[in-house]
Amino acid sequence: MQSVIPIILSGGSGSRLWPLSRKHYPKQLLKLIDGEPSLLQSTALRLKQLQPSIVVCNEEHRFMVAEQLAAIDSRSDAIILEPIGRNTAPAITVAALQARIRDDNAIIAVFPADHVIGDQTAFESALEAAVEAAQKDNLVTFGVMPTSPETGYGYIKAGTSHGSMRPVASFVEKPNHELAEKYFRSGDYFWNSGMFVFKASVYLQALNQFDPEIIKHCEQALKKANIDLDFIRLDRKAFEACPDDSVDYALMEKADNVVVVPLDAGWNDVGGWNSLWNAADKDEHNNVFNGEVIALDTQNTFTKGSGNKLVALVGLDNIVVVDTKDALLVAKKDKVQLLKSVVEQLKIQNRSEHLVHKEVFRPWGSYESLEQGVRYQVKHITVKPGASLSLQLHHHRAEHWIVVTGSALIQIGESQQLLTENQSVYIPIGEKHRLTNPGKLPLQLIEVQSGGYLGEDDIVRFEDLYERS
């Protein structure tokens, strides 16, 4: 197979980072890792023979993505950070531009990180056929062989077969059940997988013909990008100006060199809650429960608990319940696609749930906001073995640190002290300080902040291992 650069799109969906039941992953992939892979890890493992990859993700997920890839020894020579979501066309465009820096004749294979593939051998065969078609300057999409009259997917209508590929006659929006039945019986319609293979040059040339604004703004976003550790941080102003379009709408529905390669490999798109229910193991009442759940007279329901709270269900049918640290979702399974409208409402109401998460990942570990009130905030901080926070100070808040597990080397001013479990220390306002985990186990502590301003931007860094300004 010609050299191919895999592009992994890990957008804003947190589900892409979660583990699923082991039965959804090929055995040859599972034995490579200890424990269950997340959807992102499963995608990377599926493409291991093509590495190094290019990953496009939201900047808020950058450290989580990097850690998950490192955990499975997945090589990536570029993790591109989107400052704001701009759909698949801009995401693929910045990846294609980056791929051409590595290889001007690059073929790129684009895969969202929220798909499950049950048959790795069949997937690799379809990928080889797609690469062969892309070598002939085709824009290739994978059409999944439908196994039911599904109304939750878009469809691809294919023309007459040409070996392992078929020309695309049209892209079809999600149908009603009657149309889905017709598509399923005809044999000419495939589920639209949202996976693609093409030469980066062919893709960029075609997109420049149909939507040059995307090319212009993506080039500027990449040209003005900052290199931050192993990440490429796109310029926010340039990327924000980019049209918010899917690659289907911006290009694939308009170009005349689009072909579809049939894929029959146990594919499932688990990017949404309803899809997760479809893919997961179910109990005798057709329920899928994750976390602490008690259910009475409840069936056909998907529930994910936050892990720190019991969820009780009574008399429910066909419902999705998702309790996270940030918010609670309760919806009918056939209405969960309206979640995008909820996010728009959050923006209109100037709320922060879609921007600021209670659990935040950093290169040294993570912190979770437990409680916040007037002039105080409580956080749970985890520091990885050998990791260190920056030497810093705060102008508006003091901090108390209480060690829960592990050991903490703490610098305050010019002095250092070692704290172990159940010991604590006070850091006054305006005092330089640094937290380091010198041990072999994760350090966990509780931080109590108090002061007139508790924002994360009240940090003045003097020394930082991770070169943050």
Side-chain angles (χ1 to χ4, degrees):
M1 183 187 300
Q2 178 176 333
S3 177
V4 178
I5 300 176
I7 309 297
I8 300 176
L9 305 183
S10 180
S13 173
S15 67
R16 297 168 187 177
L17 306 173
W18 294 354
L20 284 181
S21 169
R22 296 177 67 85
K23 82 181 187 70
H24 299 295
Y25 299 93
K27 292 180 180 179
Q28 65 268 34
L29 300 184
L30 284 171
K31 66 184 180 182
L32 296 175
I33 60 177
D34 181 19
E36 295 179 320
S38 70
L39 289 165
L40 171 67
Q41 289 173 321
S42 180
T43 303
L45 288 168
R46 188 181 311 133
L47 303 168
K48 202 171 182 72
Q49 74 276 16
L50 302 179
Q51 293 176 5
S53 61
I54 295 173
V55 180
V56 183
C57 70
N58 184 279
E59 65 180 7
E60 289 298 321
H61 295 157
R62 62 193 184 279
F63 298 121
M64 194 185 330
V65 167
E67 284 191 15
Q68 289 203 6
L69 294 177
I72 58 171
D73 194 29
S74 176
R75 293 182 298 115
S76 174
D77 64 1
I79 299 179
I80 301 175
L81 306 181
E82 294 180 304
I84 187 172
R86 275 294 177 264
N87 219 314
T88 53
I92 294 172
T93 301
V94 293
L97 291 167
Q98 182 65 26
R100 290 196 69 181
I101 295 175
R102 188 203 299 181
D103 181 356
D104 196 53
N105 297 312
I107 289 179
I108 60 175
V110 181
F111 300 98
D114 52 6
H115 294 179
V116 169
I117 299 290
D119 187 337
Q120 178 73 7
T121 301
F123 168 76
E124 291 178 357
S125 295
L127 179 57
E128 287 186 14
V131 170
E132 183 180 345
Q135 288 171 334
K136 300 173 183 177
D137 292 347
N138 291 301
L139 300 170
V140 186
T141 184
F142 292 91
V144 175
M145 304 284 288
T147 56
S148 63
E150 176 63 55
T151 60
Y153 300 140
Y155 283 72
I156 299 170
K157 183 180 181 181
T160 305
S161 176
H162 296 293
S164 58
M165 66 180 183
R166 299 175 67 174
V168 171
S170 63
F171 288 84
V172 183
E173 295 298 323
K174 296 175 183 178
N176 58 33
H177 186 73
E178 183 179 354
L179 274 176
E181 286 277 7
K182 178 182 176 183
Y183 296 163
F184 180 58
R185 291 193 303 266
S186 77
D188 292 327
Y189 288 82
F190 300 89
W191 291 338
N192 188 353
S193 71
M195 303 186 297
F196 310 95
V197 178
F198 28 63
K199 291 180 181 176
S201 57
V202 172
Y203 167 82
L204 293 170
Q205 182 179 6
L207 185 63
N208 194 50
Q209 175 185 351
F210 294 109
D211 203 331
E213 285 294 300
I214 293 178
I215 296 283
K216 181 180 77 173
H217 293 297
C218 286
E219 285 179 336
Q220 286 299 307
L222 200 56
K223 181 180 180 180
K224 298 178 180 179
N226 291 321
I227 305 301
D228 180 4
L229 300 176
D230 297 326
F231 309 113
I232 299 174
R233 190 185 293 272
L234 297 176
D235 179 75
R236 184 180 184 89
K237 185 177 180 181
F239 198 68
E240 200 168 22
C242 195
D244 186 355
D245 288 334
S246 70
V247 69
D248 284 346
Y249 177 80
L251 175 60
M252 304 298 280
E253 295 177 4
K254 301 171 183 176
D256 58 7
N257 59 332
V258 180
V259 300
V260 59
V261 169
L263 175 67
D264 186 9
W267 175 89
N268 199 308
D269 174 6
V270 289
W273 304 115
N274 197 20
S275 297
L276 281 170
W277 175 82
N278 283 328
D281 296 325
K282 301 173 181 64
D283 66 14
E284 66 272 20
H285 300 294
N286 227 21
N287 295 312
V288 176
F289 295 146
N290 185 299
E292 295 295 320
V293 181
I294 293 177
L296 301 175
D297 189 25
T298 294
Q299 53 273 331
N300 305 310
T301 292
F302 177 91
T303 303
K304 183 188 183 300
S306 61
N308 58 2
K309 186 192 305 154
L310 173 67
V311 178
L313 311 175
V314 179
L316 298 183
D317 185 14
N318 208 41
I319 297 294
V320 169
V321 179
V322 180
D323 182 28
T324 73
K325 296 172 182 177
D326 300 306
L328 171 67
L329 169 70
V330 181
K332 290 184 176 180
K333 285 218 306 289
D334 58 355
K335 298 292 184 182
V336 289
Q337 68 271 20
L338 296 177
L339 185 57
K340 291 182 180 179
S341 300
V342 174
V343 175
E344 292 303 316
Q345 285 297 310
L346 294 176
K347 296 177 182 177
I348 292 171
Q349 297 178 22
N350 291 320
R351 298 186 64 96
S352 62
E353 285 86 350
H354 65 299
L355 297 173
V356 181
H357 301 287
K358 290 187 179 295
E359 186 172 15
V360 178
F361 289 83
R362 290 290 183 256
W364 44 261
S366 65
Y367 67 84
E368 178 185 351
S369 179
L370 302 178
E371 180 68 32
Q372 186 169 6
V374 178
R375 295 182 61 85
Y376 77 90
Q377 182 169 217
V378 182
K379 292 182 177 179
H380 174 223
I381 296 177
T382 302
V383 184
K384 295 183 291 187
S388 177
L389 282 67
S390 61
L391 179 63
Q392 58 186 253
L393 65 76
H394 312 294
H395 290 299
H396 303 287
R397 71 175 185 252
E399 295 174 340
H400 288 81
W401 289 342
I402 305 100
V403 177
V404 179
T405 61
S407 57
L409 179 63
I410 296 170
Q411 176 182 345
I412 301 177
E414 299 301 322
S415 65
Q416 292 187 345
Q417 55 185 304
L418 184 68
L419 298 187
T420 56
E421 295 179 10
N422 299 319
Q423 294 183 321
S424 62
V425 69
Y426 170 69
I427 299 100
I429 291 176
E431 189 71 73
K432 288 184 181 179
H433 59 282
R434 187 200 296 268
L435 173 64
T436 300
N437 179 1
K440 302 296 184 182
L441 300 174
L443 162 64
Q444 297 189 49
L445 56 83
I446 298 299
E447 176 182 86
V448 181
Q449 303 176 356
S450 60
Y453 180 74
L454 306 174
E456 283 301 307
D457 54 347
D458 180 24
I459 298 178
V460 179
R461 292 189 175 95
F462 297 93
E463 297 175 9
D464 185 45
L465 297 176
Y466 313 103
E467 300 180 357
R468 295 168 294 176
S469 60

